[in-house]
Every structure is written in structure tokens, then in C-alpha cells.
Amino acid sequence: MATVDIIVPTYNTAKYLPIALDSVLAQTFEDWRILLIDDGSTDNTADIVASYQKRLGPKLVYIKQSNGGVSAARNNGIRHATAEFLALLDADDVWLPWRLAESLRCFEDRPEVGLAYGLISRIDSEGSVIDTFKGNRRNAKGKIAPYIYMRSVQLPTSSMMFRKACTDKVGVFDETLKQTEDRDLWLRMAFHYEVGFAPRVISLYRTSDDSLTTDSDGMLKAQLRFIEKHYGAPGCGMKARRIALSHIYRQRAEAFGLRKQMQGAVQSSLRALALYPLDLSNVRTAGSFLLRYAGLYR
């Protein structure tokens, strides 16, 4: 039994899969096993996996399923996992060599920690770094469930590690949520466990034009459902709800802005400001988009 089971869901990502798998092979911590869940791929994923199976033997388990979405694939991996710790790696993302070692350090002599994350850099389709997620150091670790609900702290999926015991206690990914399913699971865990934090870039997150995160209407619907699902839980009261909603609408405004849809950007930024005017980020965002909409600022 390995110390860490690595769950890699893949769906028609044969182009990037070898890069992801090679980043696992390059880990400084070597006591791992890969659970690769093929979510009904129709490309040459199976051929690529076969070449790695010859090299890795029992350190790579290949599981095929009918297409059910990323949550179903991850849940299938969790069901097959036997390690104490589980780590997530999407097939188009990349780990840095110290990823597993840094994540495991968050759990050393700390049984109260159930999940841990680290910093990431975003990369484009060719692997060039776009920017680096610096995190929110004020509420980065510990008992931070309310801050996860309020979206004041980000827990990037490909930087996550958690004890399998956590899913035994709170369940797995909610397959009815097509987006925000990861935040939903981290919040359910954080209600019962402390969160660890590795203050170092440990993973590279690949962005693409066809990413689910570019579906702003679908994302908004899922985010609103997440907020209502957990509203009333400890630390998730009325003020936290307003802060969470303001973050959602500010994020939506920024997405509209990137697509040069200024009317939508202004409307969403003003809604964020109305929900929580005490946040200076909401003030700055609304002011910026109003000036741009009026042609006074580029």
C-alpha cells in the first residue's frame, strides 16, 4: 500500500497526459500510486497509458468508465483508493517535483489537519506561465471553513491533498454540481478538520478557451447553488453570504471585462458593490468598469 494515491481523471486529454504523468515520476517523494480514471475518452489515451503501465507496473492503475464528468471520475478514484493520503492531479495540469513532499509536510504530527493545499501558477496551452496565485495569507490555514464559504481563500484542486478518512466522514464530490464541486467538498471537510497550507508554488494549472470556467452563466448558477446549500452552517450566516455573493459577482464582472463586454461588467461590479460596499476591491472594480464604460479609462 502506497502512502499517497494520486487520482488523475482524464477525458480526451492525450495531448497533455504524458506531461502530467511525467511530473509525477519526477516527484522527490516516491511512495505513491497513480489511479488514472479514463472518463470515456475517444482519443489515443489508452495507447499512452499502456506505455506508462509497462514502465510503472502496479504503481499505475488504469480504470475506464463511461463518460460521467470529472466529479464522477474523481469519486471512482476515491472508491479505489487505499492510501492514507489522496492527491488530485488533472490530466492537463503539471506538478512541480516537490509537490508531494511539501503537501505531506502539512500533515506531519498534526492529526487535526485533514486537507492541505499550496500555491499554483497558471500556464497557457503551451505551458508558458501566465501568473502566480499568491493566496490569502491572513486566512490561509487552520479552522477556515467560513473563509472558504466566503471565497476569501482559494484552494486550487491540483494542489490539494487530503486524508482518505475525510471522505469516509463527509462523503465525496457532489456529482450534481457541475462546477464549484471542489469548493463544496473542501468546505464540508473544513467543517470537521483544520486546513494545512504549503506557502510555495507546487502545481501548474493549465487554462484553455474551452475550460468550464469560461462558462460564466453556468459558473454563476453553480456558485449560487453552493452558497444556498451551505447557508446557515456554522460561520456561514447572513454577512458571510453577502460577502460570498459579492465575490461571485466581482469575479463575474472581471470575466465580462476580459471579453470586452462592458455592460455586463458594469452591472455585475455594481451588484458586487451593493452586496458588500466595505470591500475596497468591490469599490475599485466598480469604479474601473464605470470609467471604462464611459470611455474615460482604458
Side-chain angles (χ1 to χ4, degrees):
M1 184 186 300
T3 299
V4 181
D5 276 339
I6 304 165
I7 298 173
V8 184
T10 184
Y11 174 68
N12 289 342
T13 50
K15 176 182 178 180
Y16 300 117
L17 183 58
I19 302 172
L21 294 178
D22 287 344
S23 75
V24 176
L25 271 61
Q27 292 298 298
T28 58
F29 179 85
E30 299 178 345
D31 188 16
W32 47 259
R33 180 179 66 152
I34 297 171
L35 299 174
L36 198 152
I37 316 300
D38 187 343
D39 189 34
S41 295
T42 57
D43 59 7
N44 63 324
T45 290
D47 296 333
I48 291 172
V49 174
S51 67
Y52 281 88
Q53 285 181 307
K54 291 180 181 179
R55 295 166 57 187
L56 297 176
K59 285 180 72 71
L60 191 158
V61 179
Y62 184 35
I63 303 168
K64 296 182 182 181
Q65 66 176 42
S66 299
N67 182 253
V70 66
S71 290
R74 289 172 180 156
N75 287 344
N76 200 1
I78 292 172
R79 283 190 291 270
H80 283 83
T82 57
E84 179 181 0
F85 297 99
L86 308 186
L88 301 181
L89 173 63
D90 287 347
D92 55 351
D93 291 343
V94 185
W95 280 354
L96 297 178
W98 48 85
R99 193 289 205 211
L100 289 179
E102 289 290 329
S103 296
L104 285 167
R105 192 169 290 117
C106 296
F107 297 90
E108 289 180 356
D109 301 318
R110 298 188 63 194
E112 70 277 8
V113 173
L115 62 161
Y117 70 105
L119 302 180
I120 65 164
S121 290
R122 292 196 308 158
I123 58 175
D124 62 20
S125 58
E126 301 304 315
S128 298
V129 174
I130 301 171
D131 55 26
T132 296
F133 165 72
K134 296 181 180 179
N136 183 346
R137 303 302 177 91
R138 287 184 58 194
N139 307 303
K141 60 184 179 179
K143 297 179 179 179
I144 61 171
Y147 300 103
I148 297 173
Y149 178 75
M150 289 185 286
R151 312 186 73 82
S152 299
V153 59
Q154 307 298 325
L155 282 68
T157 300
S158 282
S159 77
M160 294 301 300
M161 179 181 286
F162 53 92
R163 300 182 192 272
K164 189 174 187 299
C166 291
T167 57
D168 295 337
K169 186 176 186 68
V170 308
V172 293
F173 289 97
D174 183 346
E175 296 180 25
T176 68
L177 287 172
K178 299 306 179 185
Q179 299 178 59
T180 318
E181 76 289 338
D182 48 355
R183 183 177 295 272
D184 173 74
L185 182 55
W186 313 145
L187 178 60
R188 285 187 277 129
M189 289 181 179
F191 283 137
H192 301 278
Y193 299 92
E194 290 191 14
V195 178
F197 173 58
R200 184 180 183 184
V201 175
I202 61 175
S203 181
L204 306 178
Y205 168 73
R206 195 182 304 275
T207 63
S208 62
D209 292 337
D210 59 352
S211 169
L212 279 173
T213 55
T214 63
D215 177 12
S216 57
D217 289 337
M219 177 63 78
L220 175 63
K221 183 178 180 180
Q223 290 172 331
L224 294 177
R225 184 179 167 195
F226 164 83
I227 287 177
E228 297 309 317
K229 177 179 179 180
H230 296 289
Y231 178 58
C236 305
M238 185 175 296
K239 181 180 178 180
R241 181 178 181 274
R242 292 182 69 88
I243 293 173
L245 287 169
S246 77
H247 285 179
I248 286 172
Y249 281 103
R250 188 175 74 233
Q251 180 187 54
R252 183 173 170 83
E254 291 166 351
F256 278 128
L258 289 173
R259 297 197 295 268
K260 309 298 183 183
Q261 298 173 343
M262 286 300 108
Q263 184 174 355
V266 168
Q267 290 175 344
S268 293
S269 64
L270 288 176
R271 187 160 189 177
L273 180 60
L275 282 161
Y276 199 63
L278 298 180
D279 189 331
L280 291 179
S281 294
N282 291 337
V283 177
R284 287 192 293 265
T285 300
S288 173
F289 283 126
L290 281 170
L291 290 173
R292 290 166 65 180
Y293 188 67
L296 301 176
Y297 176 76
R298 293 189 178 185

